[in-house]
Amino acid sequence: MGGCAGSPRRLSDSEGEETDPAPRPPLQDSQGAHWKNAVGFWLLGLCNNFSYVVMLSAAHDILSHQRTAGNQSHVDPDPTPTSHNSSSRFDCNPVSTAAVLLADILPTLIIKLLAPLGLHLLPYSPRVLTSGICAAGSFLLVAFSHSVMISLCGVVLASISSGLGEVTFLSLTAFYPSYFLLLTSPGPQDPRGEEDSDTAARQPLINNEASESKPGSGSPLSLQERWTVFKGLLHYIVPLVLVYFAEYFINQGLFELLFFRNTFLTHAEQYRWYQMLYQAGVFASRSSLRCCPIRHTWVLALLQCLNLAFLLVDVWLSFLPSIYLIFLIIVFEGLLGGAAYVNTFHNIALETSDEHREFAMATACISDTLGISLSGLLALPLHDFLCQLT
């Protein structure tokens, strides 16, 4: 009798557990899994951009690299800047640093153009492995090269690594519906959010079978559906293209020409400081989505274009008296670029349906690459023109 009397009580308890929408222990475990996923994606993004950023930061040194029998370093040991073009008021390299930018971005552009057509058919693990091998190979080629051309081949490998990694990791976030939400809110606040959170927590970060668990993966998107999704993304794609066009026109077209002779830094050192401060601004803003989400990304595009216009006028007229003012502007430029990137993909993640999200992420990531490629193409003739000025 005692057993029979106890059975209904246990059954009632179990029913209460099943109907409870938010049992505390599973929610805590789910939140822990969310943070692990967020940190994992943060580290993947950090490592994926590493080779790409290093190559751009070393662009001035790569182009001015001339080995001699007594110099086994890429960096000229002579601290005194020597002008390559004595007739110009700028200390110009024979080739613009935009050449390194193009080598570092055109392979990425090709990968991102082709990615929406069939890259999803390749499992994630081989993609990540290929990206890592290319990144390691890029450093080895540049480190041991004896010519600019070999170094540029290493830059191309870095571009393949970065492009393949970016489109892979952004597409992978489609399997973690709470990932972008986690960056802006302390946790799921409704039963739907908790259900998505539990699903994401059960999915490993890198899994060949991930596509099998994706809602709607059994029916691939038709061309009409893809075109409809693409048109819906244009109001995010166009501002991001403008942001990256402006900032990389500054970075690879103007940085080399923003040369201050009244400072203790050499020309090469000034260029490295510019690149470091820009990347610091990008790093800070890309990691601050939870603090400052931005809905209208076109505002960031407008501010970045104003940055470009201001610095272009300064290159022409040289009216800024101190390099430290340039430092502040460059940090602001990096903050705008990073904020535009992370908020664009955050907004896309929130507004696309589950069956469209993976395609939308892979398609939108072409925005920054397209803007960077256009800036590199225009920065080359600008460099030649300005370096001919007396």
Side-chain angles (χ1 to χ4, degrees), residues 107-223:
T108 295
L109 178 63
I110 294 172
I111 290 173
K112 291 184 177 182
L113 284 173
L114 298 178
L117 302 179
L119 188 61
H120 62 282
L121 299 176
L122 184 65
Y124 283 102
S125 294
R127 289 194 246 171
V128 175
L129 179 61
T130 302
S131 178
I133 292 174
C134 289
S138 69
F139 286 114
L140 292 174
L141 270 182
V142 174
F144 294 102
S145 70
H146 291 263
S147 68
V148 171
M149 289 306 300
I150 298 298
S151 295
L152 290 179
C153 290
V155 174
V156 169
L157 281 181
S159 177
I160 295 173
S161 169
S162 177
L164 182 60
E166 183 180 11
V167 72
T168 296
F169 299 138
L170 282 175
S171 298
L172 193 59
T173 61
F175 300 103
Y176 298 81
S178 60
Y179 171 64
F180 282 98
L181 293 174
L182 175 64
L183 299 178
T184 53
S185 62
Q189 301 297 324
D190 55 78
R192 171 65 179 172
E194 291 169 10
E195 180 182 351
D196 290 344
S197 301
D198 293 337
T199 302
R202 289 196 300 268
Q203 293 172 344
L205 192 58
I206 302 296
N207 186 357
N208 293 343
E209 299 176 356
S211 60
E212 298 179 2
S213 62
K214 179 178 180 290
S217 62
S219 55
L221 298 179
S222 65
L223 290 178

Side-chain angles (χ1 to χ4, degrees), residues 2-242:
C4 294
S7 296
R9 183 173 62 251
R10 288 194 295 268
L11 179 60
S12 176
D13 292 342
S14 64
E15 289 176 351
E17 291 174 0
E18 291 175 357
T19 58
D20 186 359
R24 179 168 299 186
L27 182 59
Q28 290 176 345
D29 294 342
S30 177
Q31 283 299 98
H34 292 336
W35 283 111
K36 289 179 182 178
N37 290 335
V39 172
F41 275 110
W42 184 84
L43 290 174
L44 287 173
L46 182 67
C47 296
N48 184 67
N49 276 353
F50 187 75
S51 59
Y52 169 81
V53 168
V54 167
M55 297 306 167
L56 290 183
S57 300
H60 190 274
D61 296 318
I62 290 175
L63 293 177
S64 60
H65 166 61
Q66 293 180 349
R67 283 190 189 271
T68 62
N71 179 21
Q72 297 300 316
S73 170
H74 283 269
V75 183
D76 187 354
D78 183 7
T80 304
T82 57
S83 178
H84 298 278
N85 187 349
S86 58
S87 63
S88 172
R89 60 189 175 93
F90 302 104
D91 181 28
C92 297
N93 272 319
V95 180
S96 169
T97 52
V100 175
L101 175 64
L102 290 176
D104 208 11
I105 203 62
L106 289 181
T108 295
L109 178 63
I110 294 172
I111 290 173
K112 291 184 177 182
L113 284 173
L114 298 178
L117 302 179
L119 188 61
H120 62 282
L121 299 176
L122 184 65
Y124 283 102
S125 294
R127 289 194 246 171
V128 175
L129 179 61
T130 302
S131 178
I133 292 174
C134 289
S138 69
F139 286 114
L140 292 174
L141 270 182
V142 174
F144 294 102
S145 70
H146 291 263
S147 68
V148 171
M149 289 306 300
I150 298 298
S151 295
L152 290 179
C153 290
V155 174
V156 169
L157 281 181
S159 177
I160 295 173
S161 169
S162 177
L164 182 60
E166 183 180 11
V167 72
T168 296
F169 299 138
L170 282 175
S171 298
L172 193 59
T173 61
F175 300 103
Y176 298 81
S178 60
Y179 171 64
F180 282 98
L181 293 174
L182 175 64
L183 299 178
T184 53
S185 62
Q189 301 297 324
D190 55 78
R192 171 65 179 172
E194 291 169 10
E195 180 182 351
D196 290 344
S197 301
D198 293 337
T199 302
R202 289 196 300 268
Q203 293 172 344
L205 192 58
I206 302 296
N207 186 357
N208 293 343
E209 299 176 356
S211 60
E212 298 179 2
S213 62
K214 179 178 180 290
S217 62
S219 55
L221 298 179
S222 65
L223 290 178
Q224 180 63 35
E225 287 178 308
R226 294 177 184 226
W227 175 245
T228 301
V229 173
F230 175 77
K231 288 191 296 183
L233 294 174
L234 285 177
H235 66 288
Y236 288 123
I237 289 178
V238 172
L240 194 59
V241 169
L242 291 176

Side-chain angles (χ1 to χ4, degrees), residues 187-379:
Q189 301 297 324
D190 55 78
R192 171 65 179 172
E194 291 169 10
E195 180 182 351
D196 290 344
S197 301
D198 293 337
T199 302
R202 289 196 300 268
Q203 293 172 344
L205 192 58
I206 302 296
N207 186 357
N208 293 343
E209 299 176 356
S211 60
E212 298 179 2
S213 62
K214 179 178 180 290
S217 62
S219 55
L221 298 179
S222 65
L223 290 178
Q224 180 63 35
E225 287 178 308
R226 294 177 184 226
W227 175 245
T228 301
V229 173
F230 175 77
K231 288 191 296 183
L233 294 174
L234 285 177
H235 66 288
Y236 288 123
I237 289 178
V238 172
L240 194 59
V241 169
L242 291 176
V243 167
Y244 273 83
F245 170 80
E247 71 184 70
Y248 275 86
F249 196 94
I250 294 171
N251 292 1
Q252 307 306 131
L254 303 184
F255 274 5
E256 185 184 4
L257 305 177
L258 292 168
F259 175 46
F260 287 81
R261 301 180 186 275
N262 59 343
T263 180
F264 63 94
L265 297 172
T266 67
H267 193 181
E269 290 171 341
Q270 290 180 38
Y271 183 86
R272 294 185 212 117
W273 269 102
Y274 293 158
Q275 291 286 353
M276 189 279 293
L277 292 170
Y278 162 74
Q279 295 298 340
V282 171
F283 178 82
S285 58
R286 284 197 183 188
S287 303
S288 63
L289 178 60
R290 186 172 181 177
C291 302
C292 186
I294 299 173
R295 172 74 173 173
H296 302 292
T297 55
W298 61 267
V299 176
L300 303 174
L302 176 61
L303 291 174
Q304 198 71 289
C305 290
L306 291 176
N307 258 351
L308 169 60
F310 182 81
L311 290 177
L312 186 59
V313 172
D314 179 67
V315 168
W316 187 273
L317 301 178
S318 299
F319 61 86
L320 288 179
S322 172
I323 192 174
Y324 297 105
L325 296 176
I326 298 292
F327 285 171
L328 291 175
I329 295 173
I330 290 173
V331 171
F332 179 62
E333 173 206 348
L335 291 172
L336 292 176
Y341 184 92
V342 73
N343 281 280
T344 293
F345 287 101
H346 168 65
N347 293 333
I348 291 174
L350 293 181
E351 296 180 10
T352 53
S353 60
D354 291 344
E355 63 270 19
H356 294 157
R357 189 170 295 121
E358 184 180 14
F359 172 77
M361 289 292 191
T363 302
C365 74
I366 197 176
S367 308
D368 58 332
T369 307
L370 181 61
I372 294 170
S373 301
L374 292 175
S375 68
L377 291 173
L378 291 180

